[in-house]
Amino acid sequence: METTLAKTALFMDEESWELRLYVAGQTPKSVMALANLKKYCEQYLKGRYSIEVIDLLKNPQLAEGDQILAIPTLVRKVPEPIRKIIGDLSNEEKVLVGLDIRVVGGKNQ
């Protein structure tokens, strides 16, 4: 069964989300990851999220706290449990699953 995320409805409670994106400067992957993250947050978490962008070129010591091994890496701090997604976040479905953003609905039949 094929689902279309564009035709889904969000089914979540009103908890707030704290997300941290680790990047290394303005690389194409880092820029794309931030743009994709903002797009998904506005679409599925509007008004209930905060994004902290950490540039490891400026603050490399901050990678230790979240055990960052690759960049870009997205870390969901809240709600718990902590989750991590590595890459440019271009695959919407994988990002939603990785962040545990539950959607209901699907392809109109």
Side-chain angles (χ1 to χ4, degrees):
M1 180 163 64
E2 182 180 329
T3 61
T4 304
L5 293 176
K7 296 179 180 178
T8 58
L10 186 62
F11 180 69
M12 303 176 57
D13 58 17
E14 294 297 320
E15 61 193 344
S16 64
W17 291 63
E18 293 180 23
L19 305 169
R20 185 176 289 172
L21 182 64
Y22 289 90
V23 298
Q26 296 290 314
T27 65
K29 278 190 171 184
S30 296
V31 171
M32 182 177 284
L34 181 58
N36 286 330
L37 178 60
K38 286 180 176 177
K39 180 178 69 175
Y40 303 145
C41 286
E42 280 299 306
Q43 186 172 355
Y44 297 105
L45 303 172
K46 191 171 182 97
R48 299 182 294 127
Y49 69 92
S50 64
I51 300 172
E52 180 182 11
V53 179
I54 297 178
D55 188 343
L56 294 179
L57 292 180
K58 296 177 183 173
N59 300 300
Q61 73 279 5
L62 295 178
E64 285 184 35
D66 284 322
Q67 300 176 338
I68 302 303
L69 302 174
I71 47 175
T73 296
L74 173 64
V75 178
R76 183 186 82 178
K77 304 293 281 185
V78 174
E80 291 187 0
I82 292 173
R83 290 179 175 241
K84 296 178 185 174
I85 302 172
I86 297 171
D88 64 10
L89 310 177
S90 60
N91 186 319
E92 183 174 349
E93 189 169 344
K94 285 185 178 180
V95 172
L96 296 179
V97 170
L99 291 176
D100 196 24
I101 295 176
R102 294 183 208 120
V103 293
V104 295
K107 186 176 179 180
N108 288 342
Q109 299 186 19

